[in-house]
Amino acid sequence: MGVNDAGTISSSYALGSIALHKTGSDAGGLVGYNDGLIENSFARTRVIAGKQEGQSLFGGLVGENHTHGQITSSYAAGEMKIKSAGRAGGVIGQDDSVAGNVQHAYWNLDLGISNPSQGAGNIPNDPGITGLTTTQFQSKLPKGFDPKIWGSDPKINNGYPYLLANPPR
């Protein structure tokens, strides 16, 4: 999705890849620009950013999380290849949201952004965002993931958490 402006994205996921070569753009594995609510969602999307001049924003889940943007119980576990001068984070490229608007958001430290303080590209150790290894993702549900909504099975979604009501095929 390009823009979530005051909407709700719930129990959704994205798989595949996205490549960005335009300067000044926002790209995320699920949403480019978020000023609404994202809950119980994930992206296992490969995010590729070629060389660019100027500032672009890249996140494993969201490119830019704006003032009213909220993210809860969601994760990014896709490879990230960033060759740009832009800002990149494991979950969010740039987080401009109100403190407390991001809770229980995770990304895979083994797939490109391995610095555990870089969950958001502009705020080191952004509260509510945590990096996990592949083994941690595949061993149990992360904190804040409701087992009535999320499942964990090594035979489904490559062992990553999946949505019980909307499992990947």
Side-chain angles (χ1 to χ4, degrees):
M1 176 179 288
V3 174
N4 178 27
D5 191 8
T8 297
I9 298 171
S10 182
S11 300
S12 299
Y13 67 87
L15 306 173
S17 64
I18 181 171
L20 185 68
H21 300 286
K22 183 179 177 189
T23 298
S25 298
D26 301 341
L30 185 67
V31 177
Y33 174 91
N34 180 51
D35 204 24
L37 172 63
I38 298 172
E39 64 181 358
N40 298 315
S41 296
F42 70 90
R44 288 196 47 229
T45 307
R46 184 177 188 207
V47 178
I48 303 165
K51 292 194 178 203
Q52 302 175 29
E53 297 176 17
Q55 187 70 17
S56 293
L57 306 172
F58 311 101
L61 191 70
V62 173
E64 180 179 2
N65 196 41
H66 202 57
T67 308
H68 302 290
Q70 297 178 53
I71 300 171
T72 186
S73 301
S74 298
Y75 74 90
E79 180 183 20
M80 293 188 69
K81 290 190 171 196
I82 310 297
K83 299 177 183 177
S84 168
R87 184 168 287 151
V91 175
I92 304 168
Q94 179 159 319
D95 187 8
D96 295 326
S97 69
V98 175
N101 275 12
V102 179
Q103 298 178 0
H104 307 297
Y106 301 89
W107 88 97
N108 189 320
L109 291 165
D110 298 330
L111 296 176
I113 296 188
S114 59
N115 180 342
S117 70
Q118 200 174 344
N122 64 320
I123 302 172
N125 300 307
D126 195 352
I129 304 175
T130 304
L132 300 175
T133 65
T134 302
T135 301
Q136 289 172 313
F137 264 114
Q138 295 173 335
S139 65
K140 64 180 181 176
L141 291 177
K143 181 180 177 185
F145 279 45
D146 185 341
K148 293 177 186 166
I149 297 172
W150 293 93
S152 181
D153 184 324
K155 298 176 193 154
I156 300 173
N157 199 29
N158 200 26
Y160 286 93
Y162 67 94
L163 297 159
L164 296 172
N166 190 13
R169 299 172 195 240

